[in-house]
Amino acid sequence: MRTAVMVVILIVLGVYEASAQYGYGRGYGGYGRSRMGSSMMGQTGPSGPTEEPPTAAEIADERLPEYVAEFKLDPFETEVLRTYLEEHFNKVMALQKEKGKDAETMRKDFERMQNDFKSNLKSILTEEEVEKLITMDFSQSAVRKRKKERDN
């Protein structure tokens, strides 16, 4: 139970962080890039134009290549995963926008969404792969490390 709560918190924070980061670095690396990386370009930030938060499709598109490489997905599995990701991110974003729900209700709703997402993923991934996908880190250093490990 404690692990499930931690996973829920990490995913909610991850989507929130994606929204926050995306406005600063979208054109210069997108999701998963640090804000420092985008400031080197000199065009975005507080004084530059503000962008809309990413859509579920944009977040899925940013993460999908990493998932495909990590889990060696075929084209069919890739499209199924894209659909599952978009659906899940849309639900999470909708939950984040809801006003008037107490924290416990939101936590339960998110946990229910997370369980549905995991159930869907089990149609194309093993139990271990589902857990790995749920907990994957998309920081720039983690993506670089995974790529280096795959190349060796």
Side-chain angles (χ1 to χ4, degrees), residues 5-152:
V5 171
M6 290 303 294
V7 168
V8 167
I9 291 170
L10 288 173
I11 290 177
V12 169
L13 290 175
V15 171
Y16 175 77
E17 183 179 329
S19 297
Q21 285 182 350
Y22 213 84
Y24 287 96
R26 179 174 181 198
Y28 308 105
Y31 179 77
R33 297 281 193 198
S34 70
R35 291 180 185 159
M36 287 176 45
S38 65
S39 66
M40 295 186 327
M41 299 305 283
Q43 296 297 317
T44 60
S47 61
T50 58
E51 296 185 32
E52 293 292 317
T55 65
E58 290 169 335
I59 295 172
D61 287 342
E62 290 283 340
R63 289 185 173 197
L64 201 58
E66 193 65 23
Y67 291 140
V68 170
E70 185 69 25
F71 301 113
K72 297 174 178 53
L73 301 175
D74 64 35
F76 177 76
E77 292 169 327
T78 301
E79 288 308 309
V80 171
L81 180 58
R82 178 189 314 275
T83 302
Y84 291 160
L85 288 170
E86 287 180 21
E87 179 182 305
H88 180 67
F89 291 137
N90 275 324
K91 288 178 181 178
V92 169
M93 289 175 181
L95 181 63
Q96 287 177 330
K97 290 178 183 176
E98 287 187 28
K99 305 285 187 227
K101 281 191 176 182
D102 62 274
E104 182 64 18
T105 304
M106 288 190 76
R107 185 192 63 76
K108 286 180 180 178
D109 288 349
F110 185 80
E111 198 171 295
R112 198 172 311 115
M113 281 190 290
Q114 190 71 5
N115 289 334
D116 290 345
F117 182 54
K118 284 181 180 181
S119 294
N120 287 340
L121 291 175
K122 288 177 186 174
S123 69
I124 57 171
L125 300 172
T126 66
E127 184 83 32
E128 294 80 26
E129 289 172 330
V130 169
E131 290 305 318
K132 186 174 183 178
L133 183 141
I134 296 293
T135 59
M136 276 179 78
D137 180 2
F138 279 87
S139 67
Q140 189 175 10
S141 61
V143 170
R144 210 174 21 244
K145 181 179 176 183
R146 278 194 301 272
K147 183 174 172 142
K148 186 176 181 179
E149 288 172 358
R150 282 193 300 265
D151 290 344
N152 288 333

